[in-house]
């Protein structure tokens, strides 16, 4: 589904990613962990097409197509969803209007007719129940005045509406209390299908108690320095990142 | 249930708009080739007499015009606005142009088919039976009113809705009593000019205790070249009455600037309410700032009676230059004035717009919500005065002035003036300036929404508070316009 080869990227001339290679197959959940500043969010931004980061080397293919050449909105329409670490507020634009526009853009891209208002509202009701979010959120402006937890839940709700093939969740768990964390994780699990995949970027292991990854990668200094099964996350939780940093530094 | 249906309609309309709007051109820029009667260019006393004569006016009106003209001759164009206005040669303008047709139109069959087609193309229905939404229209092209619909229906309730010229002929007493009572001919340069040469416009009188059952609307169209448009609108809402009034305007695309100097006067008697909504879409000029309408308009409402209310809502997307301050004089105790405005300036457009709220009576309230949007090289100024006179006990005002910037070559300016002579007044002013954030656009992109649509969405969200004040039919048009006006403004 997604093949990243030797990806290098810089922000304002500063090298952030220094040769990342990663393959995500349909149905897989990959966790990417790592200390602050290791490049986790930059990787998410590059995959979603945010032009803040400049790709200097390497390639990313998505279903055989060059992802880096696609416009951000086309990436979305092709099934890539980014759950934002800091969801953006858009005052005056209701969630209903925002999502309806988004869903219908996706449908247009696939050659489908736009949804009627009643169909749309029905689907929205179903998805709201699925991810267990407060129905009042939908009548408010996009993320405006939402609490940290509400914003993150709202990201999962949007994911439910857009049914992505590849979900990239950028520290969706940060700043969540345990109840909110459970809601977010449950949402992700309920939306799991055999053919869709997720990249879960997280700083802490605790999200992975709820979302069980197939592979855990450790990102450090712009490179994936270790990949292993889900038990790696537990080891990191216990021992921290220092032993990995040491391992890497010794090799250099 | 009705409410639900309307919302549904609105949502499908929104979809249609977003799909529909892919080209950023001014869609109303066509010219109708119709036989027009024009008088020679230039302005002197004879011109004023000629206009009056053409309109077969009574002596008192000619006197009013001549007084105004003499006043105007002694006045100078105001220069205090934050606008760069090129020299206007008032002798190079045609002050009267009328589509040649039977002087008094009684049925639709009397209207030139070409004229009918023009208004059809503009989406303005002159045929009542085809018009489902129940809006009565007065259509004005160049200097004359072409047709007023639903006159008879309204007349049954005692509501007068007709062209200004007809009102002068048929209801001279009403016109005489109210004309110039809110905007005297001495008021300002453009009001004096208008009072001297105004050609037509709309007149409306709603009698005591009557709620006007439909939206009344005037549609202004400049068609002829080198012509100025000087219309006058007079709305009188008698005690305990209600009327909602809409105004729309467009003009063909031309390289030269054209002058539009209108006067609107509203009088609200005891407990009467008037809602006045404008979607101003005069031709704004091209991308390089050539052509476009100069829009110098004096709009003022007088809340004369106790408990009366006047509410202005405007969406200003057109004109090369806009100079306009729809205002309320709150004379009656417990009267209310409101001003809701969205003004867009893109490319080289300039707008200096705002309001004046003059609190005279006790317990008077005013609300000002102004949303400026600047893009390209556009310059957008809010200018507002809140004045509380000595006897205006317990006056309240709330003002909110927001500016949104797209790009870094445009400008937003705010000039709030406060004059408070009564210590019991509570006056609040809030102002914000923001830019459409890259991160907002990217957030939309990431959900599959293109940048162009994202801007439309964000801008409409920003302006929603004002657009919500518009009647349904206009709200949809306004949303569409906002998006069109800003197309191509973010690269």
């Amino acid at each position: 589904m997604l093949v990243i080869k030797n990806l290098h990227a810089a922000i304002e001339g500063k090298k952030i990613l220094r040769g990342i290679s990663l393959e995500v197959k349909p149905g897989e959940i990959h966790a990417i962990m790592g200390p602050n500043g290791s490049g986790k969010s930059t990787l998410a931004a590059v995959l979603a097409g945010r032009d803040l980061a400049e790709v200097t080397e390497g390639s990313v293919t998505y279903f055989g197509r060059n992802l880096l050449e696609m416009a951000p909105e086309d990436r979305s329409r092709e099934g890539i969803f980014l759950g934002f670490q800091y969801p953006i507020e858009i005052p005056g634009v209701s969630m209903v209007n925002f999502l309806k526009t988004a869903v219908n853009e996706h449908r247009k891209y696939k050659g489908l007719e736009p949804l009627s208002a009643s169909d749309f509202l029905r689907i929205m009701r179903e998805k709201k129940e699925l991810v267990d979010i407060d129905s009042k959120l939908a009548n408010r402006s996009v993320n405006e005045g939402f609490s940290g937890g509400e914003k993150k839940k709202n990201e999962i709700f949007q994911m439910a509406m857009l049914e992505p093939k590849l979900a990239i969740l950028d520290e969706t768990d940060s700043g969540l209390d345990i109840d909110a964390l459970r809601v977010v994780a449950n949402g992700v699990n309920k939306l799991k299908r055999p053919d869709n995949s997720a990249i879960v970027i997280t700083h802490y292991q605790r999200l992975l108690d709820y979302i069980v990854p197939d592979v855990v990668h450790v990102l450090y200094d712009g490179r994936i320095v270790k990949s292993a099964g889900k038990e790696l996350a537990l080891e990191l939780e216990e021992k921290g990142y220092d032993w990995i940093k040491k391992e890497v530094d010794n090799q250099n | 249930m009705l409410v639900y249906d309307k919302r549904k309609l609105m949502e499908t309309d929104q979809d249609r708009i977003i799909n529909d709007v892919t080209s950023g051109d001014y869609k109303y820029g066509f010219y109708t080739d119709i036989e027009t009667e024009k008088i020679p260019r230039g302005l002197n006393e004879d011109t004023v007499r000629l206009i009056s004569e053409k309109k077969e006016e009574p002596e008192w009106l000619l006197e009013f015009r001549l007084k105004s003209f003499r006043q105007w001759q002694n006045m100078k164009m105001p220069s205090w606005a934050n606008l760069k206005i090129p020299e206007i040669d008032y002798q190079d303008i045609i002050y009267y142009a009328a589509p040649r047709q039977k002087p008094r139109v009684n049925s639709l069959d009397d209207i030139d088919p070409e004229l009918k087609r023009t208004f059809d193309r503009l989406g303005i229905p002159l045929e009542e039976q085809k018009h489902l939404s129940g809006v009565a229209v007065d259509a004005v092209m160049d200097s004359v009113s072409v047709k007023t619909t639903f006159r008879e229906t309204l007349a049954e309730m005692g509501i007068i809705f007709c062209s200004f010229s007809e009102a002068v002929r048929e209801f001279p007493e009403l016109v005489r009593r109210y004309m110039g009572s809110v905007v005297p001919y001495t008021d300002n340069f453009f009001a004096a000019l208008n009072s001297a040469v105004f050609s037509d416009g709309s007149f409306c009188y709603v009698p005591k205790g009557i709620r006007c059952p439909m939206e009344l609307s005037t549609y202004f169209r400049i068609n002829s070249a080198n012509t100025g448009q000087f219309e006058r609108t007079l709305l009188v809402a008698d005690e305990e009455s209600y009327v909602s009034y809409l105004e729309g305007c467009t003009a063909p695309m031309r390289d030269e600037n054209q002058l539009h100097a209108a006067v609107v006067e509203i009088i609200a008697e005891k407990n009467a309410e008037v809602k006045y909504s404008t979607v101003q879409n005069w031709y704004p000029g091209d991308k390089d700032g050539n052509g476009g309408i100069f829009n110098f308009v004096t709009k003022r409402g007088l809340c004369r009676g106790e408990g009366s209310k006047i509410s202005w809502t405007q969406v200003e997307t057109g004109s090369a230059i806009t100079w306009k301050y729809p205002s309320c004089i709150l004379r009656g105790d417990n009267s209310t004035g409101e001003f809701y405005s969205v003004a867009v300036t893109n490319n080289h457009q300039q707008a200096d717009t705002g309001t004046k709220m003059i609190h005279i009576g006790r317990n008077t309230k005013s609300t000002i919500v102004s949303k400026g949007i600047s893009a390209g090289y556009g310059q957008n100024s809010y200018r507002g005065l809140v004045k509380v006179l000595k006897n205006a006990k317990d006056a309240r005002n709330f003002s909110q002035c927001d500016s949104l910037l797209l790009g870094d070559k445009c400008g937003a300016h705010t000039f709030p003036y406060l004059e408070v002579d009564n210590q019991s007044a509570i006056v609040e002013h809030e102002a914000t300036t923001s830019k459409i954030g890259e991160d907002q656009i990217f957030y939309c992109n990431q959900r599959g929404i293109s940048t162009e649509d994202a801007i439309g969405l964000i801008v409409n969200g920003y302006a929603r508070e004002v657009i919500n004040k518009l009647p349904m039919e206009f709200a949809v048009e306004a949303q569409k316009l906002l998006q069109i006006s800003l197309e191509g403004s973010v690269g």
Side-chain angles (χ1 to χ4, degrees):
Chain A
M1 170 183 278
L2 182 78
V3 182
I4 304 173
K5 278 187 186 153
N6 190 31
L7 183 67
H8 290 250
I11 294 178
E12 289 169 358
K14 188 169 173 253
K15 285 185 178 179
I16 309 287
L17 302 182
R18 302 160 178 266
I20 289 187
S21 297
L22 176 69
E23 182 172 1
V24 180
K25 296 201 173 81
E28 290 181 347
I29 294 182
H30 288 240
I32 294 183
M33 303 183 70
N36 287 331
S38 57
K40 301 190 298 286
S41 287
T42 304
L43 176 63
V46 167
L47 294 177
R50 181 89 214 238
D51 55 11
L52 235 59
E54 188 198 351
V55 174
T56 51
E57 208 182 323
S59 68
V60 182
T61 54
Y62 176 68
F63 288 104
R65 290 178 60 186
N66 181 353
L67 184 72
L68 301 177
E69 280 183 351
M70 289 162 70
E73 59 268 31
D74 285 337
R75 299 185 199 198
S76 166
R77 294 161 187 170
E78 287 286 351
I80 291 181
F81 178 89
L82 174 64
F84 283 63
Q85 184 177 2
Y86 304 108
I88 308 299
E89 299 187 4
I90 310 180
V93 179
S94 72
M95 274 309 298
V96 178
N97 191 10
F98 179 72
L99 273 175
K100 189 156 186 281
T101 309
V103 167
N104 282 331
E105 284 300 318
H106 279 240
R107 290 179 66 87
K108 194 164 95 187
Y109 189 75
K110 297 187 183 100
L112 298 169
E113 289 290 307
L115 284 175
S116 69
S118 56
D119 282 346
F120 176 78
L121 291 174
R122 181 179 48 75
I123 292 172
M124 210 163 106
R125 212 162 37 237
E126 288 168 12
K127 302 289 183 182
K128 266 192 300 208
E129 277 167 29
L130 185 73
V131 297
D132 190 26
I133 81 157
D134 192 340
S135 27
K136 273 180 262 164
L137 284 190
N139 297 324
R140 288 161 57 181
S141 296
V142 179
N143 292 321
E144 196 187 26
F146 286 25
S147 70
E150 284 173 334
K151 282 183 181 172
K152 297 302 177 71
K153 286 188 211 170
N154 191 29
E155 293 293 289
I156 302 303
F157 171 51
Q158 293 177 52
M159 182 171 116
M161 290 299 294
L162 295 172
E163 301 182 328
K165 292 176 188 151
L166 175 65
I168 302 162
L169 304 178
D170 187 8
E171 304 218 11
T172 304
D173 54 334
S174 67
L176 291 189
D177 61 34
I178 198 73
D179 292 330
L181 185 74
R182 210 173 281 140
V183 169
V184 166
N186 281 344
V188 173
N189 289 330
K190 280 184 191 160
L191 296 168
K192 190 75 203 73
R193 289 195 316 260
D195 57 338
N196 64 13
S197 309
I199 297 174
V200 180
I201 295 172
T202 178
H203 195 65
Y204 303 105
Q205 187 271 338
R206 58 175 194 166
L207 179 65
L208 304 178
D209 287 341
Y210 300 98
I211 302 173
V212 181
D214 297 291
V215 198
V216 176
H217 308 277
V218 178
L219 195 62
Y220 175 57
D221 202 17
R223 289 189 197 89
I224 289 176
V225 294
K226 203 171 189 68
S227 299
K230 59 176 187 253
E231 61 288 348
L232 177 58
L234 290 168
E235 203 178 343
L236 288 170
E237 181 76 1
E238 204 178 302
K239 300 202 284 194
Y241 290 107
D242 284 352
W243 63 281
I244 292 202
K245 289 184 190 171
K246 246 177 233 154
E247 253 184 50
V248 174
D249 295 341
N250 286 342
Q251 281 165 17
N252 290 345
Chain B
M1 280 323 285
L2 188 71
V3 173
Y4 176 72
D5 283 342
K6 271 205 162 180
R7 189 179 300 163
K8 196 167 152 185
L9 175 85
M10 184 111 176
E11 293 224 346
T12 42
D13 271 344
Q14 277 180 350
D15 289 343
R16 186 178 49 72
I17 290 157
I18 286 167
N19 296 335
D20 204 37
V21 176
T22 41
S23 70
D25 295 333
Y26 186 74
K27 289 184 180 167
Y28 309 98
F30 63 89
Y31 164 73
T32 309
D33 192 6
I34 193 163
E35 207 186 322
T36 307
E37 181 196 3
K38 290 180 188 170
I39 63 171
R41 285 172 202 236
L43 181 56
N44 52 42
E45 261 196 42
D46 289 341
T47 324
V48 176
R49 286 177 194 281
L50 184 60
I51 293 170
S52 189
E53 188 184 312
K54 289 221 169 279
K55 306 192 76 67
E56 302 166 28
E57 284 174 354
E59 192 58 28
W60 61 266
L61 192 49
L62 175 63
E63 282 308 313
F64 175 81
R65 287 178 181 280
L66 290 171
K67 266 193 304 190
S68 308
F69 177 70
R70 287 165 200 148
Q71 172 75 22
W72 178 75
Q73 281 183 307
N74 292 322
M75 293 172 106
K76 281 209 170 72
M77 217 170 112
S79 57
W80 43 261
N82 186 28
L83 299 168
K84 289 198 183 98
I85 307 171
E87 187 85 26
I88 297 172
D89 182 353
Y90 290 91
Q91 296 305 330
D92 197 35
I93 293 171
I94 297 169
Y95 287 85
Y96 183 86
R100 208 185 287 275
Q101 61 170 2
K102 290 182 195 171
R104 281 170 214 188
V105 181
N106 292 316
S107 90
L108 203 62
D109 301 331
D110 293 343
I111 296 181
D112 187 316
E114 191 60 37
L115 214 55
K116 236 187 294 185
R117 264 196 297 279
T118 301
F119 283 97
D120 279 348
R121 275 181 80 179
L122 297 168
I124 311 302
L126 298 183
E127 289 174 64
E128 293 173 9
Q129 68 276 19
K130 281 191 187 163
H131 197 33
L132 300 172
S133 53
V135 177
V137 181
D138 183 22
V140 177
M141 191 193 275
D142 293 334
S143 305
V144 294
S145 169
V146 173
K147 161 88 181 156
T148 311
T149 64
F150 288 107
R151 273 191 70 166
E152 290 76 17
T153 321
L154 293 166
E156 282 166 21
M157 304 182 74
I159 298 169
I160 302 166
F161 180 45
C162 61
S163 73
F164 204 92
S165 311
E166 284 167 297
V168 169
R169 276 197 301 271
E170 292 170 33
F171 311 100
E173 284 317 305
L174 280 174
V175 176
R176 264 187 106 159
R177 190 184 320 156
Y178 290 109
M179 186 180 73
S181 68
V182 188
V183 180
Y185 67 90
T186 49
D187 192 79
N188 69 70
F189 181 83
F190 297 110
L193 177 62
N194 174 286
S195 301
V197 301
F198 76 92
S199 42
D200 215 333
S202 301
F203 175 80
C204 171
Y205 174 81
V206 187
K208 262 185 200 174
I210 297 291
R211 273 187 79 84
C212 183
M214 56 177 85
E215 307 277 351
L216 302 186
S217 143
T218 301
Y219 195 90
F220 295 107
R221 173 79 177 165
I222 295 179
N223 190 54
S224 306
N226 307 112
T227 308
Q229 180 150 324
F230 308 92
E231 82 277 355
R232 240 188 134 89
T233 302
L234 180 54
L235 290 182
V236 182
D238 216 328
E239 292 179 13
E240 318 280 338
S241 70
Y242 167 84
V243 63
S244 169
Y245 194 90
L246 321 172
E247 174 200 286
C249 15
T250 59
M253 291 193 261
R254 297 184 198 289
D255 291 340
E256 87 269 18
N257 298 111
Q258 280 180 281
L259 181 62
H260 172 251
V263 168
V264 177
E265 294 179 281
I266 301 176
I267 294 104
E269 300 287 7
K270 189 178 166 196
N271 292 327
E273 181 178 350
V274 178
K275 259 180 81 112
Y276 193 104
S277 313
T278 306
V279 172
Q280 189 263 105
N281 188 24
W282 294 118
Y283 177 55
D286 68 11
K287 281 199 164 50
D288 302 316
N290 300 314
I293 303 293
F294 291 165
N295 192 33
F296 301 107
V297 175
T298 307
K299 291 184 170 183
R300 196 172 303 152
L302 172 62
C303 285
R304 190 150 81 170
E306 195 185 316
S308 56
K309 179 175 175 182
I310 293 177
S311 179
W312 299 98
T313 306
Q314 59 172 20
V315 174
E316 305 279 305
T317 60
S319 296
I321 297 176
T322 299
W323 179 98
K324 178 178 167 187
Y325 315 90
S327 303
C328 298
I329 301 170
L330 305 169
R331 191 195 290 168
D333 290 348
N334 301 308
S335 60
T336 307
E338 295 177 337
F339 173 73
Y340 297 95
S341 168
V342 176
V344 179
T345 50
N346 195 3
N347 299 319
H348 291 268
Q349 281 176 276
Q350 307 174 64
D352 191 306
T353 182
T355 185
K356 286 190 277 188
M357 293 290 175
I358 315 292
H359 293 255
I360 302 173
R362 292 160 182 232
N363 277 317
T364 45
K365 279 201 277 300
S366 62
T367 306
I368 299 171
V369 176
S370 162
K371 303 263 182 180
I373 302 168
S374 315
Y377 295 88
Q379 292 295 327
N380 209 320
S381 302
Y382 166 80
R383 187 181 303 276
L385 169 67
V386 176
K387 189 176 174 129
V388 178
L389 273 69
K390 214 162 69 190
N391 294 326
K393 197 166 165 287
D394 296 325
R396 291 215 54 168
N397 163 266
F398 173 75
S399 303
Q400 185 189 330
C401 304
D402 297 332
S403 307
L404 186 68
L405 299 168
L406 286 80
D408 53 10
K409 294 185 181 65
C410 53
H413 318 271
T414 307
F415 304 100
Y417 303 91
L418 261 180
E419 293 172 21
V420 179
D421 289 330
N422 186 308
Q423 290 310 308
S424 64
I426 302 175
V427 178
E428 292 171 79
H429 181 91
E430 288 177 10
T432 66
T433 301
S434 52
K435 280 189 147 194
I436 286 195
E438 299 257 315
D439 48 0
Q440 285 177 324
I441 292 174
F442 179 70
Y443 193 71
C444 295
N445 288 160
Q446 214 303 305
R447 301 302 185 242
I449 302 165
S450 70
T451 301
E452 206 79 70
D453 289 344
I455 291 169
L457 207 60
I458 295 165
V459 166
N460 274 309
Y462 166 79
R464 190 168 73 165
E465 215 179 325
V466 174
I467 290 186
N468 281 350
K469 296 283 171 190
L470 290 173
M472 184 66 73
E473 296 77 11
F474 254 32
V476 173
E477 190 187 344
Q479 285 188 324
K480 192 162 60 177
L481 261 179
L482 279 184
Q483 181 145 355
I484 295 173
S485 320
L486 290 168
E487 251 162 43
S489 55
V490 168

